[in-house]
Amino acid sequence: GTTNTSSTAGGGAASSSAAADPNAPIKEGLKVAFLPKQLNNSYFTVTDRGGKAAVDEYKGVFSEVGPSEASASSQVSYINTLTQQGSNVIATSANDPKAICSALDEARSAGAKVVTFDSDTDPSCRDLYINQATAEGIASTQIKLISDAIGPDGGDIAILSATANATNQNAWIELMKKELEKPEYAKLKLVATAYGDDNAQKSQQEVQALLQAHPTLKGIISPTTVGIAAAAQYLSGSEYKGKVQLTGLGFPSQLKEYLKNGTMKSFALWDVEKLGYLAAYAGAALASGQITGAEGQTFKAGTLGEFKVGPNSTVLLGEPTVFTAANVDQYNF
Amino acid sequence: MAEAQDATVRSTRRAEAADVPLLELRDIHKSFGAVHALRGASLSLYRGQVTALVGENGAGKSTLVKTLAGLHQQDRGQVLLDGEEVSFRDPLHAREAGIAVIYQEPTMFPDLTVAENIFMGRQPLRSLRRIDRKAMRQQALELFEQLGVKIDPDRAAQGLSIADQQVVEIAKAISLDARVLIMDEPTAALSGVEVDRLFAVTRTLQAQGAAVMFISHRFEEVFALADWITVMRDGAHVATAPASELTVDGVIRQMVGRDVASLFPKQETTIGPTALEVKGLSRKGVFSDISFTVRAGEIVGLSGLVGAGRSEVARAVFGIDKYDSGEVLVRDAPLKSLSPRASMAAGLAFVPEDRRKQGLVMELNVSRNLTLTLRRKLSRFGLLTNQAEAQATKEWAKKLQIKAGSPMSPISTLSGGNQQKVVLGKWLATGPRILIIDEPTRGIDVGTKSEVHRLISELAGTGLAVLMISSELPEILGMSDRVLVMHEGRITAERSRKDATEESVMTAATGVDPKTKETTA
Amino acid sequence: MTTLTLQRQPSTAWLGTLTRSREFSVFLALVILIAVTVAANPRFLSAQSIKDLLLNSSILVILAVGQAIVIVTKNVDLSVGSVLGLTAFATGKIFIALPDLPVIAMLVIGIALGAMLGAINGALIAVAKVPALVVTLGTLYIFRGVDFAWAQGQQISPSDLPADFLALGAGTLLGFPYLALIALAVVMAFGLYLKNLRSGREFYAIGSDVQAARLYGIRVGRKVFSAFAISGALAGLGGVIYAAKYGNLDATAGQGLELNVVAAAVVGGVAIAGGVGTVYGAALGAVLLTTITSALPVLGVSPFWQRAMIGVLILASIVLDRYLALRTERRLRGHDSHAG
Amino acid sequence: MLVDTAPPAAETRRAPRFGFLRSWDTAIILALVASIIVASLTVSGFATSRNVGFLLIDVIPVLLLALPMTLIIITGEIDLSVASIAGFVSCVFGALWNAGMPMETIVPLCLVLGAVSGALNGFLVSVVGLPSLAVTIGTLALYRGLAFVVLGDQAVTSFPRAITTGLQAKIGTTGIPVWILPVILLVIIFGVALHFTGFGRSLFAIGYSVDAARFSGIGVARTKFWLFVISGTVAALVGVWWTLRYGSARGDNATGLELSVIAAVLLGGVSIFGGKGTLPGVIAGVGLLAILRNALQLASVPEDTLSMLTGGLLILAVVAPNAIAWVRSLSHKASTT
Ligand SMILES: Nc1ncnc2c1ncn2[C@@H]1O[C@H](COP(=O)(O)OP(=O)(O)OP(=O)(O)O)[C@@H](O)[C@H]1O
Ligand SMILES: Nc1ncnc2c1ncn2[C@@H]1O[C@H](COP(=O)(O)OP(=O)(O)OP(=O)(O)O)[C@@H](O)[C@H]1O
Ligand SMILES: [Mg+2]
Ligand SMILES: [Mg+2]
């Protein structure tokens, strides 16, 4: 109801139903706000850095706001504030796919464009989702990495996740389980999933418990940056170093020590900075009317080149990068 | 010791005492906000002599003590020690100057052992400045022996009866080997035996040259111990004279500025049907097989030594504490449940012995305290207003002549006696049929005491059944229609008013025949 | 009244005292927990696993000691998690600026920084005479805010820290991790101080009855101030150790730790009402809580049940505490004083 | 008549009708009014009906929880488990909804569950006699744990849009949410109970002295027990509200809310030691924190500053009254000498 009326009143701002003009210039002075899951989280510090770089390129006004602890309710109050401030673009990573929906609806009805990145919301309450890598790609890469690290004999593996509620973690875990059903991974057996709550100490204790409860454990996948760093730190100082393999998603800067000292052989991550950069450009494209979020539309994202909107109003950044001792020094995040 | 001999010893000592007092207070003034507690108080303490300080409740005695102890700083006036002016910043400073104080209200560390309570901050040390626990225990035992009591130095202070707490306080004060010993109503919680022991110890200290100040509302104690008596009224010095030159009536007249009517204005009443009946009440380790009745219009005195378990019986009857077996009947019906609420509903009222902890909420004002038991009664349609409370307060403050700044004054700013009146008031206002009253006049001055007694008597006259616990034998004998005596958790005697004599009650209370005791001594 | 028995049986009395003590019951619970876990999985008692347990609990032990001292004075320090976070981050920043700083110097700086933060708490509480719970809840927010404002999302990695500093976190001496030895030293030092020195006993006096403590001439304000400074200093020490142990630091280190620290002290028999408890108990409580977190997954308890189990254990331990206190009280009643 | 020993001090003469408003409460209410005025004038976008709507709807959970918390803290206890109970109830709500139970049955069941959860706290505190700080640290972990036991890593989000948006309905164009009205009614009920009934009087007495309250015939254990039951029930209400407002039932709902609630209550002038405090002060405390947060967010003040500000205000709340008293005593001394 309110969406239609307010978007016509909003003048230039295009809505999904309006036609896109791929050649429209990016408006100057767009107010672009980044709302991560949590401030002071190193992952989002990097994405937002990328976002700021993009916004500076197209002469927008960048701001970063967010809660100090990852919770959906405090994101809602920030979305409300942004709505009230008349933001043109809200780029957010959702702590809960549903909980921030009605606030985002209200923001969009007030004329803001909503881009989600890293963690999506319900597709109906945002204009575009920037997918860092396909969930399938993330899952299959990690299974492949652990399989390669353990070797052809296979064995028991475990997953160390973040919190039990982390939506994308849970999606990846499901897909990893599917991936393991493939015949080439017949010798790998997932024996446990533990939750380290993205807390270093808890993560380490969970790793210790996994190792004791499953003496035959050969490998651990930790698809969360806090978890993998804590696990690597523990393994490197324990008798399991080099005997139990570790992989997952982590920052090269945090983990290069452990690649070099033999605690782990490889891990993966997408280019986090580019994720924020792309989200900022996608928001500008939406707010300038270049795209509406419909499938098949294209827009140019600064130095990253051209991107195409896929099904479900999703834009894909690319496939994850795999880091090994050989290439890790080339990255600075 | 023979009295005459004692008196001569005292008068010689007085003659010896030089004119320079060991400690002297001159024209002390002290205000708390608008309350002018001291307005020209003076006092002199001499080496080897006991000075008693007497005055009505609220006269400013305790305030003077606290000024001496360094707890309060006077607004005006001088404190002289050995003729030199001093000013005590804090209690430590006063203690270092050789002043030991027993405060009116015991100050204890409930979680620490008794020995540690005595020696906190002065614990005996061994190598490396470590505390020597063995020596500490030994010294505590020696102190208790001197006081003739047996308290385990290693037990926690928690759970000590008020009397034992007072004993620990005394032990603490004498362990300081102080030059000046100040005792603010040390005997209020003690019974005759302990009081005698305390006096013996005091006399020893006195003989060693200490200056002693002693506050009490019991004149027999004042005259038994003191060389000098100083009278205060309304925060000011009234008179100081040798005890031997004074009489009880004279002192009272100076204290209150008028003559006091009879201390025990006992009215004859017609005794009605049984109001309260207690049958076979027992609680393991505290009291056993307690049975008695109290009838309408009757005052039953419950006597005994401190620690006999009287308060515990009262608490159990009122529903504060649980009991193991037995029954409490109010007008032939058992109480609905074991709770103060049920007891109040049945018409019981209970004035507890420890007014600061049990009787009053010290942080609330007079009005809120007085009406705390009237929450339901004063409510209209479930709502309670300040006006209703103020009305009730005015009425009872007038009836009991409560001295306070205003109904909104914090109760903590009232003197002990006036606080006690508020406790009485809050219970009398409930219109009870049975009143249990534990130490009704503890720490109350003569004037007020006589009023309280008159009040109790009058109430009994209107058909109230009263169970009165008291450690003061004259009070028991003067007020009771019937006397029950407890000893070690059992009722050992019951005497009618005419059969109750000091001797017969004491015999039952101590479990020892005084005559036998004398022959063995 | 029962007759008095003042004579004790010296030969076995200490045994009775020991087994009746609160610390003993915590210790017993710990032993039972370990025994059950080992029965289910013998690897729980392997050398590596014991080392892990010691390492895991050392930070909580150190913080619990400080907390115990504060709680004994009838106060509470909720800011310890934030103090730890701020010092941990400061440690990283200082090492980035001064990579050659000796490890010992860093420990001293951390302790001093923590003591300073604790002194802010202590000063507010002692001078302005305001409740500790409120003040430290306030500084919990403030110190964390400073941490956030300083970090601005910055992350410190192990590669930013000197190798010998990281070795402090993982290294061992005669098979004992350095961290466990530091924690043990802290526990012993404060344990002896609180029990055997006059100045240590004053903490108990204050917690037992402040008013009485004043009358005894104890300088209450100064003493409470020092309790908070100690707690802050130990949290500062904990922060440096945290940095050494985890290497990866951001501004969120130690977030939410305060409840664990208070829980450790409470489980260890330090009464919230003040005046009761020992740092040994608090330390045992910390080890017990850490061991529970380690043991539950080993026992195969579903991760979803773990938190609930910790709650149950905290409740069980305070119920036990109450039971023991009641027993003591009953004993005191049977054992009375006056033979007048 | 009282026998006046001295002229009563000036403050004792104050009209007794609103005597329960102590100086700090008055100060905090004034601060609230002042912050509203200043924010309206200086922060663009603050004084709009949309923003008022945002503000009021976000303040509901803290406001609700602050009501029983005030009573509990006044009796000298504390309840740290409220947010965990809300989270637990939220998960049970989700699980029952998933199981196909109608809303009309679920909501009362959830309230009962909250009451039972509170009753466990109440039992341990009042009957067993344990310190509430320790007990509710335990149940904080327990109930949050049970929330995860119920829903595990799942979230239930299939609530009808009609209900979730209906909760945010506004009264006409005022921007004031409809659902604030029953909340205000509850505030009034709690306020009257605390300040104008015998029950309220007994809470203050308990807070200052449990013994004296018991000896005055107040059922201390019973009162405390029911306070915890009420607290649990209100927490359950918040759990239900939270679930529907955000359309999502999950284990971590309302995490950490207890500290915000306690901060607001203490800021409102309630003494953590019990015995002292007023409901108007608490409402002002809740409002002040919410308005400052909202206004400063609108003014793009960063989160770390907001958190420092919250902490600073809390400390100010306890330091200021003492500082004022100290200054007064100085000037009093100066005038008497
Ligand atoms: N801290 C205080 N604040 C305000 N008023 C006080 C304070 N302490 C004492 N007073 C007042 O000072 C006066 C003297 O009190 P004090 O306790 O010295 O009397 P007292 O002679 O010891 O009486 P009692 O025999 O009842 O113990 C009383 O009016 C009392 O209300
Ligand atoms: N709080 C308590 N906890 C445990 N035991 C107690 C407690 N208070 C008193 N007792 C014990 O109960 C018994 C009776 O106590 P108490 O001295 O109060 O008796 P009483 O006859 O009422 O004396 P009085 O009324 O003269 O003080 C004693 O054995 C005492 O040690
Ligand atoms: Mg006095
Ligand atoms: Mg008694």
Side-chain angles (χ1 to χ4, degrees):
Chain A
T2 40
T3 314
N4 281 330
T5 46
S6 63
S7 61
T8 37
S15 74
S16 308
S17 57
D21 171 11
N23 297 318
I26 291 187
K27 290 182 186 163
E28 272 196 26
L30 285 176
K31 289 201 243 174
V32 182
F34 268 67
L35 172 60
K37 283 185 178 175
Q38 180 188 21
L39 283 189
N40 272 299
N41 174 312
S42 46
Y43 178 86
F44 289 107
T45 309
V46 180
T47 57
D48 296 1
R49 194 163 72 207
K52 181 163 186 342
V55 175
D56 287 349
E57 276 175 28
Y58 58 72
K59 300 196 172 57
V61 182
F62 173 87
S63 66
E64 183 196 21
V65 295
S68 54
E69 268 168 79
S71 83
S73 59
S74 33
Q75 274 188 320
V76 166
S77 90
Y78 274 101
I79 295 167
N80 289 344
T81 313
L82 293 172
T83 307
Q84 200 54 23
Q85 286 173 330
S87 285
N88 302 98
V89 176
I90 298 175
T92 185
S93 173
N95 278 321
D96 183 312
K98 192 74 183 262
I100 63 172
C101 264
S102 64
L104 288 178
D105 284 345
E106 199 152 355
R108 291 168 78 202
S109 75
K113 296 295 170 192
V114 173
V115 179
T116 55
F117 64 95
D118 180 67
S119 248
D120 198 8
T121 58
D122 210 281
S124 68
C125 33
R126 43 82 176 161
D127 294 296
L128 210 55
Y129 170 54
I130 312 298
N131 198 354
Q132 58 269 50
T134 60
E136 291 80 9
I138 293 168
S140 65
T141 309
Q142 292 183 76
I143 297 294
K144 174 136 187 4
L145 290 179
I146 199 75
S147 170
D148 290 350
I150 293 174
D153 292 344
D156 291 349
I157 60 168
I159 293 174
L160 174 69
S161 179
T163 61
N165 280 129
T167 324
N168 41 4
Q169 301 275 333
N170 290 337
W172 298 333
I173 292 170
E174 279 314 306
L175 288 168
M176 283 193 248
K177 286 181 184 162
K178 275 221 186 82
E179 185 76 13
L180 283 171
E181 286 163 13
K182 289 189 179 165
E184 63 256 45
Y185 301 127
K187 286 186 175 162
L188 287 182
K189 192 164 154 249
L190 179 66
V191 293
T193 302
Y195 300 92
D197 292 348
D198 267 354
N199 166 310
Q201 164 130 16
K202 177 98 195 305
S203 300
Q204 286 198 352
Q205 283 183 292
E206 291 294 340
V207 170
Q208 292 159 6
L210 285 174
L211 291 167
Q212 283 168 27
H214 306 282
T216 53
L217 202 67
K218 285 282 172 48
I220 295 173
I221 302 174
S222 183
T224 163
T225 54
V226 178
I228 195 172
Q233 202 271 341
Y234 171 69
L235 289 180
S236 76
S238 78
E239 64 184 29
Y240 304 105
K241 177 174 163 184
K243 294 183 195 141
V244 175
Q245 298 302 326
L246 173 67
T247 192
L249 303 176
F251 282 107
S253 64
Q254 286 182 16
L255 297 175
K256 57 179 149 199
E257 296 279 309
Y258 306 112
L259 283 180
K260 290 179 181 166
N261 74 14
T263 306
M264 49 198 300
K265 292 178 179 157
S266 61
F267 60 91
L269 197 65
W270 43 91
D271 193 322
V272 183
E273 195 159 351
K274 284 181 188 153
L275 179 61
Y277 186 87
L278 176 56
Y281 264 103
L286 284 165
S288 308
Q290 291 175 350
I291 55 171
T292 59
E295 186 172 353
Q297 295 172 333
T298 58
F299 65 98
K300 196 166 169 298
T303 53
L304 290 183
E306 189 118 315
F307 282 84
K308 193 169 178 186
V309 180
N312 256 334
S313 298
T314 302
V315 176
L316 183 65
L317 175 67
E319 284 308 307
T321 314
V322 173
F323 304 94
T324 61
N327 72 353
V328 71
D329 285 325
Q330 300 162 19
Y331 299 89
N332 70 338
F333 60 91
Chain B
M1 209 185 297
E3 274 300 310
Q5 198 186 340
D6 206 26
T8 35
V9 172
R10 259 188 278 155
S11 57
T12 23
R13 258 195 255 121
R14 197 179 311 131
E16 280 165 13
D19 272 342
V20 187
L22 180 51
L23 185 69
E24 190 181 359
L25 294 138
R26 278 192 204 151
D27 195 31
I28 303 285
H29 288 254
K30 174 76 191 170
S31 300
F32 300 100
V35 182
H36 210 153
L38 295 178
R39 38 184 111 197
S42 300
L43 178 73
S44 300
L45 304 181
Y46 300 92
R47 274 180 204 85
Q49 306 219 358
V50 178
T51 306
L53 183 62
V54 298
E56 277 184 292
N57 293 128
K61 303 180 295 292
S62 299
T63 309
L64 199 63
V65 167
K66 288 178 185 166
T67 309
L68 261 178
L71 206 61
H72 293 329
Q73 276 71 45
Q74 69 270 26
D75 300 333
R76 196 138 60 79
Q78 292 166 298
V79 180
L80 298 128
L81 187 66
D82 281 327
E84 278 178 38
E85 186 164 355
V86 287
S87 88
F88 298 127
R89 287 186 306 270
D90 54 31
L92 193 62
H93 193 201
R95 203 170 71 192
E96 278 161 2
I99 298 174
V101 181
I102 298 172
Y103 296 98
Q104 185 165 6
E105 316 293 346
T107 52
M108 289 271 132
F109 302 121
D111 304 303
L112 303 185
T113 64
V114 166
E116 203 151 22
N117 263 285
I118 297 174
F119 293 106
M120 176 57 69
R122 310 175 285 117
Q123 296 97 330
L125 298 180
R126 53 193 173 130
S127 63
L128 297 172
R129 305 187 53 77
R130 283 173 305 159
I131 293 167
D132 188 344
R133 290 208 149 68
K134 229 185 229 163
M136 189 160 82
R137 174 187 153 79
Q138 197 49 47
Q139 290 177 21
L141 278 176
E142 280 161 16
L143 285 168
F144 289 142
E145 198 161 321
Q146 206 180 342
L147 290 168
V149 294
K150 283 186 183 161
I151 300 176
D152 179 0
D154 290 335
R155 69 162 280 171
Q158 192 155 38
L160 282 178
S161 64
I162 290 200
D164 285 348
Q165 290 179 31
Q166 198 60 262
V167 170
V168 174
E169 281 290 312
I170 293 165
K172 186 165 86 193
I174 57 180
S175 77
L176 281 165
D177 281 331
R179 294 200 293 159
V180 182
L181 176 63
I182 314 255
M183 302 189 283
D184 192 352
E185 300 197 35
T187 55
L190 302 186
S191 61
V193 187
E194 288 114 333
V195 171
D196 289 346
R197 291 241 174 74
L198 173 65
F199 283 10
V201 174
T202 310
R203 288 195 183 102
T204 317
L205 292 174
Q206 186 186 3
Q208 289 163 4
V212 179
M213 178 178 125
F214 172 76
I215 298 175
S216 174
H217 289 292
R218 299 183 188 161
F219 290 104
E220 66 277 13
E221 294 175 359
V222 167
F223 280 91
L225 192 66
D227 304 297
W228 294 88
I229 294 177
T230 294
V231 182
M232 277 180 77
R233 190 166 70 221
D234 292 337
H237 176 258
V238 174
T240 300
S244 52
E245 293 163 18
L246 293 171
T247 62
V248 174
D249 286 342
V251 172
I252 292 177
R253 213 172 303 116
Q254 283 181 319
M255 267 173 60
V256 293
R258 62 186 155 84
D259 284 313
V260 172
S262 153
L263 196 51
F264 302 111
K266 176 84 184 111
Q267 298 183 351
E268 287 308 317
T269 55
T270 43
I271 308 256
T274 300
L276 174 71
E277 182 170 11
V278 174
K279 277 198 225 163
L281 218 58
S282 296
R283 184 174 186 211
K284 198 166 166 288
V286 183
F287 51 78
S288 56
D289 198 21
I290 302 292
S291 303
F292 61 87
T293 58
V294 186
R295 297 194 285 168
E298 187 185 32
I299 300 177
V300 175
L302 184 53
S303 179
L305 297 184
V306 167
R310 297 162 300 170
S311 299
E312 278 64 20
V313 169
R315 289 165 57 129
V317 169
F318 191 63
I320 303 271
D321 293 344
K322 290 195 179 71
Y323 42 83
D324 302 329
S325 60
E327 209 180 358
V328 177
L329 303 166
V330 174
R331 275 171 293 142
D332 299 329
L335 286 177
K336 276 207 192 68
S337 71
L338 181 79
S339 72
R341 209 172 134 124
S343 307
M344 281 171 74
L348 254 81
F350 178 37
V351 175
E353 60 180 333
D354 186 342
R355 68 171 169 263
R356 281 167 51 92
K357 291 223 173 70
Q358 303 165 341
L360 297 168
V361 181
M362 296 307 287
E363 292 85 352
L364 291 179
N365 62 32
V366 175
S367 173
R368 286 283 156 85
N369 267 294
L370 221 148
T371 55
L372 199 54
T373 48
L374 309 175
R375 301 183 317 281
R376 257 165 259 275
K377 213 171 161 183
L378 296 178
S379 295
R380 292 271 169 280
F381 311 110
L383 298 184
L384 182 59
T385 59
N386 283 330
Q387 279 87 339
E389 289 173 320
Q391 197 56 45
T393 310
K394 266 194 187 153
E395 184 188 330
W396 283 95
K398 188 177 175 190
K399 274 190 196 159
L400 299 177
Q401 287 287 303
I402 295 172
K403 271 196 217 171
S406 92
M408 298 298 154
S409 303
I411 196 91
S412 54
T413 61
L414 268 62
S415 74
N418 280 303
Q419 290 176 2
Q420 183 72 5
K421 287 190 201 168
V422 175
V423 186
L424 264 170
K426 88 181 215 192
W427 283 109
L428 294 181
T430 62
R433 288 161 180 268
I434 302 158
L435 176 67
I436 305 175
I437 183 162
D438 197 353
E439 307 289 2
T441 59
R442 174 175 287 175
I444 285 192
D445 65 48
V446 264
T448 316
K449 203 180 239 179
S450 136
E451 278 172 49
V452 169
H453 288 155
R454 185 180 43 79
L455 210 73
I456 294 176
S457 229
E458 267 174 28
L459 289 164
T462 63
L464 187 71
V466 179
L467 175 66
M468 184 183 81
I469 300 170
S470 174
S471 298
E472 279 188 63
L473 215 44
E475 185 168 77
I476 290 278
L477 299 176
M479 295 295 296
S480 314
D481 294 299
R482 201 144 48 84
V483 180
L484 302 171
V485 189
M486 272 185 78
H487 173 61
E488 295 190 353
R490 291 175 180 278
I491 293 186
T492 48
E494 178 169 352
R495 299 270 182 281
S496 66
R497 184 173 176 79
K498 60 180 190 316
D499 298 337
T501 63
E502 208 157 309
E503 194 173 62
S504 69
V505 172
M506 276 318 282
T507 310
T510 51
V512 184
D513 189 335
K515 288 194 187 77
T516 351
K517 196 177 165 191
E518 228 158 87
T519 46
T520 51
Chain C
M1 205 181 344
T2 46
T3 47
L4 179 83
T5 44
L6 266 183
Q7 320 79 296
R8 301 187 305 173
Q9 299 78 27
S11 53
T12 54
W14 65 270
L15 195 66
T17 318
L18 177 71
T19 51
R20 245 187 273 112
S21 80
R22 186 63 178 77
E23 290 76 19
F24 183 77
S25 54
V26 184
F27 182 70
L28 206 64
L30 185 61
V31 169
I32 292 172
L33 176 68
I34 293 178
V36 169
T37 316
V38 169
N41 185 342
R43 281 163 62 105
F44 196 65
L45 219 54
S46 68
Q48 175 69 43
S49 164
I50 290 176
K51 186 182 147 199
D52 291 344
L53 281 181
L54 292 174
L55 270 173
N56 291 339
S57 45
S58 52
I59 293 179
L60 195 60
V61 164
I62 291 172
L63 265 62
V65 167
Q67 190 69 247
I69 298 172
V70 169
I71 296 182
V72 158
T73 66
K74 202 173 181 173
N75 285 294
V76 70
D77 186 355
L78 294 182
S79 72
V80 285
S82 297
V83 173
L84 179 137
L86 192 50
T87 27
F89 192 76
T91 303
K93 288 296 254 190
I94 291 173
F95 270 130
I96 289 174
L98 305 166
D100 297 326
L101 192 73
V103 173
I104 286 287
M106 191 62 240
L107 286 172
V108 172
I109 293 174
I111 291 172
L113 178 60
M116 199 191 79
L117 297 174
I120 295 177
N121 287 330
L124 280 167
I125 292 156
V127 177
K129 298 195 176 60
V130 289
L133 188 99
V134 187
V135 168
T136 57
L137 184 59
T139 51
L140 175 151
Y141 287 119
I142 294 177
F143 295 160
R144 185 64 69 187
V146 171
D147 199 2
F148 279 178
W150 189 14
Q152 292 298 336
Q154 193 191 343
Q155 171 92 23
I156 288 161
S157 313
S159 49
D160 299 328
L161 302 171
D164 54 347
F165 179 65
L166 291 171
L168 173 71
T172 57
L173 181 73
L174 303 174
F176 289 99
Y178 290 134
L179 300 190
L181 293 176
I182 294 178
L184 189 68
V186 166
V187 172
M188 295 307 292
F190 283 101
L192 292 174
Y193 169 57
L194 285 191
K195 182 158 201 290
N196 286 324
L197 295 191
R198 280 180 184 170
S199 135
R201 299 309 294 168
E202 290 180 352
F203 290 110
Y204 288 89
I206 290 170
S208 204
D209 191 330
V210 182
Q211 217 44 52
R214 288 218 172 82
L215 293 177
Y216 274 71
I218 296 172
R219 307 211 198 280
V220 174
R222 255 186 243 185
K223 212 70 212 175
V224 170
F225 174 86
S226 67
F228 279 92
I230 291 171
S231 171
L234 290 178
L237 175 64
V240 179
I241 288 180
Y242 185 96
K245 183 162 187 263
Y246 295 106
N248 280 303
L249 300 170
D250 57 26
T252 61
Q255 221 164 20
L257 194 62
E258 55 282 342
L259 287 189
N260 285 343
V261 177
V262 174
V266 167
V267 167
V270 182
I272 287 284
V276 181
T278 64
V279 297
Y280 305 116
L284 279 170
V287 175
L288 180 63
L289 281 191
T290 321
T291 309
I292 290 167
T293 321
S294 291
L296 289 181
V298 173
L299 284 170
V301 174
S302 136
F304 303 118
W305 274 99
Q306 285 179 26
R307 210 192 301 240
M309 297 281 285
I310 289 178
V312 168
L313 271 153
I314 294 175
L315 293 177
S317 88
I318 50 179
V319 169
L320 171 75
D321 207 21
R322 177 72 186 156
Y323 167 75
L324 291 178
L326 280 180
R327 219 175 50 169
T328 315
E329 204 172 288
R330 230 174 288 136
R331 204 163 39 83
L332 281 179
R333 212 196 296 140
H335 203 273
D336 188 57
S337 39
H338 263 273
Chain D
M1 192 204 68
L2 291 167
V3 184
D4 282 48
T5 51
E11 63 257 33
T12 58
R13 283 217 176 127
R14 211 173 28 184
R17 185 186 304 254
F18 291 107
F20 67 82
L21 284 178
R22 278 158 221 279
S23 50
W24 177 253
D25 316 321
T26 323
I28 203 86
I29 291 169
L30 290 179
L32 175 70
V33 174
S35 63
I36 292 174
I37 294 171
V38 171
S40 310
L41 294 178
T42 60
V43 178
S44 73
F46 176 80
T48 64
S49 63
R50 193 208 299 264
N51 193 48
V52 168
F54 288 153
L55 222 160
L56 289 179
I57 208 140
D58 277 353
V59 88
I60 286 178
V62 173
L63 185 53
L64 281 176
L65 291 177
L67 300 175
M69 189 71 85
T70 302
L71 307 201
I72 287 181
I73 297 184
I74 281 178
T75 61
E77 304 290 345
I78 197 160
D79 187 353
L80 294 175
S81 71
V82 284
S84 292
I85 293 179
F88 178 34
V89 165
S90 171
C91 286
V92 171
F93 190 132
L96 294 179
W97 177 255
N98 256 1
M101 202 181 262
M103 196 77 78
E104 295 73 31
T105 327
I106 299 179
V107 174
L109 273 182
C110 281
L111 295 185
V112 170
L113 178 67
V116 171
S117 308
L120 175 63
N121 285 333
F123 174 79
L124 290 173
V125 171
S126 60
V127 181
V128 186
L130 301 173
S132 55
L133 186 64
V135 165
T136 56
I137 283 179
T139 51
L140 172 136
L142 174 64
Y143 294 138
R144 184 61 68 187
L146 290 178
F148 281 101
V149 169
V150 171
L151 276 192
D153 54 5
Q154 299 304 304
V156 177
T157 57
S158 56
F159 301 103
R161 196 87 180 221
I163 296 183
T164 53
T165 49
L167 283 187
Q168 312 199 23
K170 308 288 184 319
I171 307 173
T173 55
T174 54
I176 297 171
V178 174
W179 284 91
I180 197 83
L181 298 178
V183 174
I184 291 174
L185 185 68
L186 216 53
V187 169
I188 293 171
I189 292 174
F190 271 84
V192 168
L194 180 62
H195 293 295
F196 298 103
T197 67
F199 169 73
R201 295 285 190 274
S202 65
L203 300 186
F204 287 98
I206 293 172
Y208 279 129
S209 168
V210 168
D211 266 347
R214 231 154 56 91
F215 275 89
S216 303
I218 294 169
V220 175
R222 189 189 167 111
T223 307
K224 286 186 178 173
F225 177 81
W226 286 108
L227 283 184
F228 279 98
V229 171
I230 293 170
S231 179
T233 313
V234 173
L237 201 60
V238 170
V240 170
W241 165 264
W242 196 282
T243 313
L244 293 177
R245 149 102 165 88
Y246 294 112
S248 172
R250 42 189 275 165
D252 65 354
N253 270 355
T255 302
L257 197 64
E258 67 279 348
L259 288 190
S260 313
V261 173
I262 291 168
V265 170
L266 298 179
L267 182 63
V270 176
S271 162
I272 192 74
F273 298 133
K276 217 186 280 174
T278 71
L279 209 65
V282 168
I283 305 306
V286 171
L288 186 64
L289 279 183
I291 283 171
L292 282 180
R293 179 155 273 277
N294 174 276
L296 294 176
Q297 272 185 9
L298 276 176
S300 299
V301 171
E303 175 74 16
D304 41 41
T305 314
L306 287 180
S307 116
M308 285 188 264
L309 191 82
T310 309
L313 269 177
L314 252 182
I315 294 178
L316 186 73
V318 288
V319 172
N322 286 13
I324 293 167
W326 184 68
V327 171
R328 263 198 205 139
S329 78
L330 277 191
S331 61
H332 181 82
K333 256 188 202 144
S335 67
T336 49
T337 47

